[in-house]
């Protein structure tokens, strides 16, 4: 492999349409849905963490996914 892979499990709050266009009491509005995403860490910036699900021996990646840092609840490095 070109470089050591770091697998991570990221818990984060995703934006979602919780009420599907219904009228709702503002006190009962859901804020976000907790999501857990597992993948190979590709890049970390001040605003995003980028992970991927596939990496070749040459280092090319496929299935990249950006998670906004502001939405992250926790990160765990997997072995």
């Amino acid at each position: 492999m070109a470089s050591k892979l770091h697998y991570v499990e990221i818990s984060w709050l995703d934006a979602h349409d919780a009420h599907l266009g219904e009228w709702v009491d503002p006190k009962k509005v859901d804020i976000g849905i907790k999501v857990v995403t597992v993948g190979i860490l590709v890049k970390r910036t001040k605003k995003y963490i980028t992970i991927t699900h596939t990496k070749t021996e040459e280092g090319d990646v496929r299935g990249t996914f950006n998670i906004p840092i502001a939405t992250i609840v926790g990160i765990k490095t997997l072995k």
Side-chain angles (χ1 to χ4, degrees):
M1 279 287 165
S3 64
K4 178 143 175 60
L5 303 177
H6 297 281
Y7 294 89
V8 292
E9 176 184 289
I10 303 174
S11 301
W12 56 290
L13 298 175
D14 192 11
H16 68 291
D17 188 358
H19 302 286
L20 306 173
E22 302 167 356
W23 288 99
V24 200
D25 181 335
K27 296 175 189 160
K28 297 180 180 175
V29 171
D30 294 323
I31 321 176
I33 184 169
K34 186 175 180 185
V35 177
V36 177
T37 303
V38 176
I40 302 165
L41 180 63
V42 175
K43 184 177 10 177
R44 185 179 199 148
T45 69
K46 290 181 182 180
K47 293 186 179 185
Y48 294 95
I49 286 185
T50 304
I51 62 171
T52 187
H53 67 70
T54 305
K55 186 173 181 181
T56 68
E57 288 182 8
E58 293 79 25
D60 295 332
V61 296
R62 184 175 72 188
T64 58
F65 190 80
N66 293 313
I67 300 173
I69 294 284
T71 65
I72 295 176
V73 177
I75 302 171
K76 181 176 16 173
T77 300
L78 305 174
K79 295 183 179 188

